[in-house]
Amino acid sequence: MKLEQIELREIRMQMRTPFETSFGVTQERRIILVSISSGGVTGYGEVSCNETPGYSYETTDTAWLMLNDLFAPAILGHDLEQPSDVLPLLKPFRGHPFAKAGLELALWDLWARAAQQPLWKFIGGTKTDLPVGLSVGIKSSPEALAEFVVQQKALGYKRIKLKIGRGRDIAYVAAARDALGWDTHLTVDANSDYTLEDTDLLGQLDQYKLQYIEQPLSNDDIVDHATLAQSLETPLCLDEPIHSLGDVRKAVQLGSGSVINLKIGRVGGHTESHKIAKYCGEQGLALWCGGMLESGVGRAHNVALQTLPQFTLASDTAPSARYWLEDITDPEITMHGGLTHPLGGIGIGVNLRHDLIAKLTTRVAVL
Ligand SMILES: [Mg+2]
């Protein structure tokens, strides 16, 4: 298919409540929607990096610059046999996977729509009951956290993940475990706030029988994680340092963790995600799909990805209403009994609410 037109559109969405992690508070999301058209069909992708270089070095503004000045011009007008053919065209440009993923996701949606198939079937998905986990931002006190997680558990979530940070860890986890009881899958995500010097402190978490501890050490590390893993009973989950299949392979060789949080934007799109999922299945690694506070477009791509059989743990695809007063897609992503299901329509299975999107738009570029 010939890539005839590419549109970049930045929208600003206000979150229902602020979301705090070890690197800051998010109240407003600045999201780039990418549309690619060919033969009267349009596919949609989303750039889901943060507004500031907290989670990764990429930001909404760096992604816009890369897409507008380099990546979109490099692929526009090319005639591709399949979505993954875009990767060699982007290979001259190092890094910036979230920006590249915006294009790559739009192409997968475009191809599935042209084939008149739901994306999840188009990529070989088989799972239809997808367990939903909740990611809970850091709260003002252990008591406030305990109260909040009990309310959320009642909604049916299959796993509750607590964001923790230095000084806001053991007492918070203890309060949450005490309030939830032992039958809830409970995890923590430190977003790299600790070092090997904190090994004893992190070891105290073993008593709370967490499903895993996510990314306790540096965002670019898999070596110290292998050392830490030997001192803990709780499995380690890797997030930030995993950018490719090669990174997962090296982590397996070192013994850095037994759980992978796969974020579609962090690895550059569906093509690399599928390779990683296949490898995790072969190696017996537990796998789930992480979220980046996406709109319904990015969330729909995440739902499609999780239908691959190698996804074994609850993923971060909480319903739209958890984050937004109004999502930009119809239907919104919903959850029933702690499960979400693949969307039945063609492509990513959602229609874009173009009137609402127009109101939220702050800039547009059409190539
Ligand atoms: Mg994480």
Side-chain angles (χ1 to χ4, degrees):
M1 295 175 75
K2 189 169 184 199
L3 310 187
E4 295 163 358
Q5 180 174 295
I6 300 174
E7 182 192 276
L8 310 175
R9 177 180 292 269
E10 182 182 331
I11 60 169
R12 298 195 179 201
M13 295 176 74
Q14 299 299 319
M15 298 200 61
R16 190 182 273 270
T17 54
F19 190 84
E20 183 170 2
T21 67
S22 64
F23 42 71
V25 180
T26 303
Q27 175 72 72
E28 180 188 66
R29 287 288 281 125
R30 294 174 54 199
I31 289 167
I32 301 171
L33 298 176
V34 178
S35 317
I36 302 182
S37 302
S38 179
V41 182
T42 300
Y44 299 97
E46 172 169 338
V47 178
S48 59
C49 57
N50 291 162
E51 295 71 26
T52 57
Y55 173 80
S56 90
Y57 62 85
E58 288 187 82
T59 70
T60 313
D61 287 317
T62 67
W64 183 277
L65 180 72
M66 292 299 141
L67 285 165
N68 191 50
D69 289 15
L70 295 171
F71 301 168
I75 72 168
L76 186 66
H78 281 266
D79 201 350
L80 307 185
E81 298 268 323
Q82 54 195 354
S84 59
D85 289 346
V86 75
L87 301 179
L89 301 175
L90 295 174
K91 202 172 178 197
F93 309 112
R94 192 166 290 189
H96 299 275
F98 280 97
K100 289 174 180 170
L103 295 169
E104 203 261 13
L105 266 55
L107 292 177
W108 279 97
D109 183 36
L110 174 62
W111 253 255
R113 286 179 193 263
Q116 294 280 310
Q117 274 192 53
L119 178 62
W120 70 278
K121 287 189 177 166
F122 191 71
I123 64 173
T126 54
K127 296 177 69 175
T128 53
D129 286 341
L130 308 172
V132 180
L134 179 68
S135 180
V136 179
I138 297 172
K139 299 292 177 193
S140 58
S141 68
E143 295 74 25
L145 175 66
E147 188 180 339
F148 183 77
V149 294
V150 167
Q151 291 166 3
Q152 298 302 312
K153 181 184 180 181
L155 300 176
Y157 287 104
K158 299 294 188 188
R159 172 270 279 155
I160 291 182
K161 174 170 102 174
L162 311 176
K163 292 287 188 180
I164 61 169
R166 195 173 285 277
R168 292 183 291 181
D169 39 44
I170 305 297
Y172 286 74
V173 176
R177 178 53 94 194
D178 189 47
L180 292 169
W182 294 100
D183 63 340
T184 301
H185 289 306
L186 186 65
T187 72
V188 296
D189 183 2
N191 289 111
S192 307
D193 214 25
Y194 299 86
T195 70
L196 275 183
E197 292 181 6
D198 301 307
T199 299
D200 289 347
L201 184 145
L202 294 167
Q204 291 178 46
L205 292 172
D206 281 341
Q207 64 188 299
Y208 302 109
K209 305 293 178 205
L210 303 176
Q211 198 173 36
Y212 50 81
I213 300 173
E214 182 174 341
Q215 201 63 35
L217 308 180
S218 176
N219 67 295
D220 57 0
D221 171 76
I222 55 173
V223 177
D224 284 353
H225 279 88
T227 304
L228 179 65
Q230 292 182 349
S231 301
L232 302 181
E233 289 171 21
T234 311
L236 294 184
C237 170
L238 297 172
D239 174 352
E240 281 90 337
I242 302 300
H243 299 280
S244 65
L245 171 61
D247 290 338
V248 181
R249 179 178 57 75
K250 290 166 198 165
V252 167
Q253 282 179 5
L254 290 170
S256 317
S258 54
V259 183
I260 299 293
N261 171 355
L262 178 49
K263 287 184 179 161
I264 205 165
R266 196 191 60 230
V267 303
H270 280 293
T271 307
E272 195 70 14
S273 294
H274 301 168
K275 289 182 192 168
I276 291 172
K278 183 164 176 283
Y279 182 76
C280 286
E282 290 164 1
Q283 295 293 322
L285 295 175
L287 180 67
W288 58 282
C289 175
M292 291 291 295
L293 307 177
E294 291 95 342
S295 80
V297 172
R299 217 162 275 271
H301 276 283
N302 289 347
V303 169
L305 178 64
Q306 288 160 49
T307 65
L308 296 179
Q310 295 88 358
F311 282 81
T312 51
L313 300 180
S315 294
D316 269 348
T317 317
S320 301
R322 152 91 178 120
Y323 297 108
W324 316 115
L325 291 172
E326 258 189 315
D327 205 342
I328 59 167
T329 58
D330 180 22
E332 296 193 342
I333 307 299
T334 56
M335 175 179 82
H336 303 283
L339 301 174
T340 191
H341 305 285
L343 294 143
I346 63 165
I348 55 175
V350 293
N351 294 311
L352 274 68
R353 297 176 60 191
H354 293 289
D355 288 353
L356 175 60
I357 290 170
K359 283 185 210 158
L360 302 174
T361 297
T362 55
R363 55 176 160 171
V364 182
V366 180
L367 292 92

